[in-house]
Amino acid sequence: MPFDVKETVLPGVGKRYELYLDANRSIAILVRSSGERQVYFREHPDEDYEEQYALTDSQARTLGLFLVGAY
């Protein structure tokens, strides 16, 4: 199943990565320059993202290990 990813540089903030799950839903990860990660979700492209949770750099790395099955 193909999917789209969009990367946006946010000067002075960090980078935002958007993963489009289907025609409506998407997840955004904001990787701040400080190392903190904020996870956002939206149900429809016309809606604003809603923050789901924030992770420290270490927490984000551990979650990544879970997601790729390496933990």
Side-chain angles (χ1 to χ4, degrees):
M1 177 172 125
F3 58 90
D4 293 320
V5 175
K6 179 180 176 185
E7 178 181 332
T8 305
V9 175
L10 304 171
V13 177
K15 288 186 180 181
R16 179 180 63 214
Y17 300 93
E18 295 175 88
L19 172 62
Y20 297 91
L21 304 172
D22 56 34
N24 292 313
R25 301 174 307 137
S26 59
I27 296 172
I29 308 296
L30 176 59
V31 181
R32 294 190 169 272
S33 302
S34 66
E36 181 183 60
R37 272 74 163 162
Q38 292 170 273
V39 180
Y40 297 85
F41 177 76
R42 68 178 174 192
E43 281 285 338
H44 195 275
D46 295 334
E47 297 175 0
D48 290 334
Y49 279 107
E50 292 186 32
E51 184 176 4
Q52 302 300 303
Y53 48 89
L55 300 169
T56 64
D57 182 61
S58 178
Q59 291 168 332
R61 291 176 189 279
T62 301
L63 178 60
L65 291 172
F66 295 155
L67 294 173
V68 299
Y71 188 86

